Amino acid sequence: MTKSKPENTILRLASIFATALGPFILLSAYLRPGQVPLLLAAAGYLCLAGGLCGIFYWLKYRRNEELVRAALALGGFAVADPGRNKPDGKYDVKGVVNGVEMWLNGMDFSSKDNGPCLELEILCKVANRLNARLTVYPSGFLYKPLFASLPPKIEYVPYWDWYAIHSEPAGAAEKLLSGARLNGIKTVFQDKYGFKLLELKGDRLRCVFKHALGRKYLRETTGQVAILAASI
C-alpha cells in the first residue's frame, strides 16, 4: 500500500487530468479545417508533457507505507522526507543498521497472478577503501541495467556463478564480493531472495531485490547488505 502527502495527491490528480486533456486539445487543433492553430496545438503538447512529468514525479517520490511500517517495526529506522530537492531523494525510510547508514525505497509490483511483490532498493554509505566501481546482476540480457555506464566486465568471481560482474579495478570484485556468497553460507544475494542488482559507486552501495515483503525478510536483507557495506 502506498500513501501520499495531500500535496502529492493534488499533483497526481492534476497530472492525470492534464495527461487526459492534452490529447483532447491536440485532436481539436488538428481536426479544425484549414491551418492548425499553433497556440492551441502548443497548449495540447504542454498539457500532455506536463501531465506525464507530474505522473513520473509522483510515482518516483511517493511513499510506500508497507515498507515504512515494516522498517519502523524493525527499529533503527525513521520516516524519510522524499522529494526532488530533499536530502533523502526518493527513499521512504532511513536509519542505521549495524553501524551503517542506510536508506530504503519500495515500489509495489504486486499482481493478481503473482501475488505480493515489492522492489526493495537499499542504499548504504560506504568507505570504498579500494576506490572501486562494481556492478553485479543475474546473467542475461534482460537483467542488464539500461542506460548505465558500466565498468569493464570480468569473467569469474568465486561463488558468483550465473552473475554478470563488472569491476574496476578488475581485482576489486573478488576482494569485495566473495565473502557475501561463501559456499554453504546462507546469503540474500541469490534468486531465492529476489536479488537483482548490486552497484558500488563512490561512497554509495546500492542493492535491489524483488520479493514479497515481510519483517523477517527485511531484517535479513538489510542486515546482510549492512555487513557487506561495512566490509567495503
Side-chain angles (χ1 to χ4, degrees):
M1 178 180 175
T2 305
K3 186 178 179 181
S4 297
K5 295 180 179 179
E7 56 267 31
N8 289 337
T9 300
I10 294 173
L11 172 65
R12 175 174 61 89
L13 295 176
S15 299
I16 293 173
F17 177 76
T19 303
L21 183 62
F24 177 78
I25 295 175
L26 288 171
L27 187 62
S28 299
Y30 283 100
L31 288 180
R32 290 195 176 196
Q35 189 174 0
V36 176
L38 295 180
L39 289 178
L40 190 62
Y45 284 117
L46 285 174
C47 273
L48 183 59
L52 291 174
C53 288
I55 290 174
F56 173 79
Y57 182 94
W58 173 75
L59 288 172
K60 183 174 182 178
Y61 295 110
R62 63 178 178 167
R63 180 177 292 146
N64 189 288
E65 291 297 322
E66 182 187 12
L67 175 59
V68 171
R69 288 194 299 270
L72 294 181
L74 283 184
F77 286 99
V79 178
D81 187 17
R84 184 174 181 273
N85 297 315
K86 302 291 183 66
D88 297 323
K90 66 178 181 179
Y91 294 94
D92 300 320
V93 292
K94 58 184 177 180
V96 177
V97 178
N98 297 330
V100 174
E101 289 185 71
M102 183 176 290
W103 293 261
L104 307 180
N105 177 68
M107 183 172 291
D108 191 5
F109 279 87
S110 301
S111 67
K112 181 181 290 187
D113 294 332
N114 298 320
C117 182
L118 184 83
E119 183 178 270
L120 173 65
E121 182 176 329
I122 304 176
L123 182 72
C124 299
K125 190 172 182 179
V126 296
N128 198 358
R129 301 170 186 86
L130 297 179
N131 194 28
R133 289 177 63 219
L134 297 176
T135 304
V136 182
Y137 53 90
S139 296
F141 177 77
L142 293 177
Y143 299 104
K144 186 176 182 179
L146 296 176
F147 312 115
S149 176
L150 302 177
K153 188 174 182 179
I154 60 176
E155 293 302 321
Y156 176 72
V157 173
Y159 311 113
W160 285 86
D161 306 81
W162 313 113
Y163 286 88
I165 312 287
H166 297 256
S167 176
E168 188 177 36
E174 184 169 349
K175 292 179 181 178
L176 299 177
L177 297 177
S178 293
R181 285 180 59 87
L182 286 174
N183 192 27
I185 293 181
K186 185 178 181 181
T187 173
V188 299
F189 301 101
Q190 58 175 306
D191 290 341
K192 179 182 176 181
Y193 283 81
F195 172 64
K196 298 299 179 186
L197 177 71
L198 182 152
E199 182 180 59
L200 174 64
K201 285 184 179 180
D203 64 348
R204 292 292 187 268
L205 173 69
R206 186 169 71 98
C207 297
V208 178
F209 301 84
K210 205 168 182 179
H211 192 276
L213 182 66
R215 193 181 302 180
K216 179 181 178 182
Y217 172 81
L218 188 61
R219 181 184 297 110
E220 290 178 346
T221 51
T222 56
Q224 288 195 37
V225 170
I227 292 172
L228 176 61
S231 71
I232 291 174

